[in-house]
Amino acid sequence: MAPTQGKHSSQDLLQAQVDLWHHALGFVKSMALKCAMEMQIPNTIQHHGGAMTPSELATAIGLHPSKLPRLRRLMRVLTVSGIFVVHESASADKEAVYGLTPTTCLLVSDEVKSNLFPILSLMLDSTVITPFFGMKSWFQDEDSTSLFKKIHGLTFWEMADQDETYNQLINNAMVSDSNFLMDIILRECGDVFTGISSLIDVAGGLGGAARAIAKAFPQIKCTVLDLPHVVADAPTDDHVPFIAGDMFEYIPPANALFLKWIFHDWGDEDCVKILKKCKEAIPSRDAGGKVIIVDMVVGSGPNDIVTRETQVFFDLFIMYLEGIEREEFEWKKIFMEAGFSEYKIISVLGVRSVIELYP
């Protein structure tokens, strides 16, 4: 018996083995979810009244009868992991009945603002997953190329520029996430917009967030700032004008600035540059000036293992395009370096937070 084994009971060793297996097999959950999404299983169950037996489901999604036992195994993973729920059938053969859960409902909602299918599709896309197979060599390589570029030969954004289908996948993902999050921000954090007369949505894309704010707070004059090629594709909107520009060069003056999921794409040095431009654009705190940031603060939010793991998972995940999620002390460092005096973290958005930043 090895020395390590001699120091621990059999049950301790077996539990350690389970922990290692559970860790190593974690990818099976995400691949099972990806498979279910690609076969439209959540939508199929929803369209059949929210409950289907394995046989009914196999027929509906066009599987060969020989695949039925495998489908049951796939669905067992997804029910044990909480994506679907399984009910006992009242029929004589006692065949299980699969149903939707609150989690699955976010993949099938008919309301655009509640459907996360597009953002999950991007996160599970092979172009995003493949780079992680080269993580070891990337760590050992002195080159500063991103994981994504090391594998694909071009950056994430360069691929989007060259492939319109891929660009649409990204745009749909960002709109999906924005619609979902803005609805909750306005319900849970509406006070952060109180007293604001004008707001610039910095790098606000096609203006979904700005339109949501303008609709909820008609007294706020909302404007979107983004790069010229983004603004060129923006929809015409009488209530939310667009300004073509570069946040690294100039941000138009406003009472408040709104930056949603922007800073995690940039390193500290670039974040400080952006923040300094923000500081130039807003009035003093006494005059109501502030920056509203929606981003992840690792370690903030609900103190449960799922939230904590999701935050650190996402931090490592976004490394594929050289992004970073920050802990509070890391946020404080760039805030102070950019010349801001105070900040307030509001942790009511699950893994993400709202940060109010004052000059």
Side-chain angles (χ1 to χ4, degrees), residues 192-248:
V192 303
F193 301 102
T194 301
I196 295 174
S197 58
S198 60
L199 178 144
I200 301 285
D201 185 0
V202 180
L206 302 182
R211 278 192 294 275
I213 295 169
K215 182 178 179 181
F217 300 92
Q219 74 278 11
I220 301 178
K221 179 185 177 183
C222 295
T223 306
V224 175
L225 171 73
D226 216 314
L227 295 170
H229 74 275
V230 176
V231 172
D233 292 333
T236 302
D237 194 311
D238 295 333
H239 302 290
V240 177
F242 288 77
I243 298 174
D246 186 339
M247 63 185 174
F248 285 99

Side-chain angles (χ1 to χ4, degrees), residues 4-5 8-24:
T4 301
Q5 291 178 315
H8 301 282
S9 70
S10 297
Q11 292 307 309
D12 287 341
L13 291 170
L14 289 170
Q15 184 57 52
Q17 180 198 42
V18 170
D19 291 342
L20 287 172
W21 281 29
H22 187 264
H23 203 91

Side-chain angles (χ1 to χ4, degrees), residues 226-277:
D226 216 314
L227 295 170
H229 74 275
V230 176
V231 172
D233 292 333
T236 302
D237 194 311
D238 295 333
H239 302 290
V240 177
F242 288 77
I243 298 174
D246 186 339
M247 63 185 174
F248 285 99
E249 301 296 331
Y250 174 73
I251 297 175
N255 197 225
L257 304 178
F258 184 72
L259 296 97
K260 182 178 66 62
W261 233 13
I262 302 300
F263 290 105
H264 76 168
D265 287 334
W266 302 96
D268 288 0
E269 185 178 334
D270 284 327
C271 285
V272 170
K273 290 178 182 178
I274 297 168
L275 286 166
K276 285 182 175 179
K277 292 299 177 183

Side-chain angles (χ1 to χ4, degrees), residues 78-108:
L78 294 169
T79 54
V80 168
S81 59
I83 300 298
F84 296 99
V85 66
V86 62
H87 306 287
E88 286 191 12
S89 173
S91 62
D93 58 11
K94 298 294 183 183
E95 192 173 21
V97 177
Y98 303 124
L100 304 180
T101 65
T103 301
T104 332
C105 289
L106 292 179
L107 299 175
V108 299

Side-chain angles (χ1 to χ4, degrees), residues 51-204:
M52 296 185 77
T53 66
S55 301
E56 291 169 339
L57 180 58
T59 300
I61 61 177
L63 296 187
H64 188 274
S66 65
K67 296 292 185 180
L68 180 58
R70 279 83 168 181
L71 177 64
R72 289 194 180 100
R73 290 160 67 180
L74 173 70
M75 294 301 291
R76 182 167 58 188
V77 168
L78 294 169
T79 54
V80 168
S81 59
I83 300 298
F84 296 99
V85 66
V86 62
H87 306 287
E88 286 191 12
S89 173
S91 62
D93 58 11
K94 298 294 183 183
E95 192 173 21
V97 177
Y98 303 124
L100 304 180
T101 65
T103 301
T104 332
C105 289
L106 292 179
L107 299 175
V108 299
S109 174
D110 292 329
E111 293 186 51
V112 174
K113 65 183 181 182
S114 300
N115 196 317
L116 295 182
F117 192 99
I119 183 73
L120 266 293
S121 296
L122 176 62
M123 292 170 71
L124 294 170
D125 191 77
S126 60
T127 59
V128 174
I129 294 170
T130 303
F132 288 94
F133 288 96
M135 191 184 294
K136 172 183 172 289
S137 62
W138 176 82
F139 266 111
Q140 295 176 330
D141 195 339
E142 293 181 5
D143 192 354
S144 59
T145 298
S146 69
L147 263 171
F148 192 94
K149 186 173 183 178
K150 183 174 177 64
I151 296 298
H152 297 297
L154 66 172
T155 69
F156 180 73
W157 304 113
E158 287 170 345
M159 182 175 285
D161 287 339
Q162 295 181 20
D163 186 334
E164 181 54 37
T165 301
Y166 196 64
N167 186 53
Q168 196 58 51
L169 175 70
I170 296 169
N171 288 340
N172 290 343
M174 296 303 102
V175 170
S176 150
D177 182 69
S178 183
N179 288 340
F180 171 78
L181 199 61
M182 283 309 302
D183 183 57
I184 295 175
I185 289 171
L186 294 171
R187 278 192 278 137
E188 301 294 332
C189 310
D191 289 349
V192 303
F193 301 102
T194 301
I196 295 174
S197 58
S198 60
L199 178 144
I200 301 285
D201 185 0
V202 180

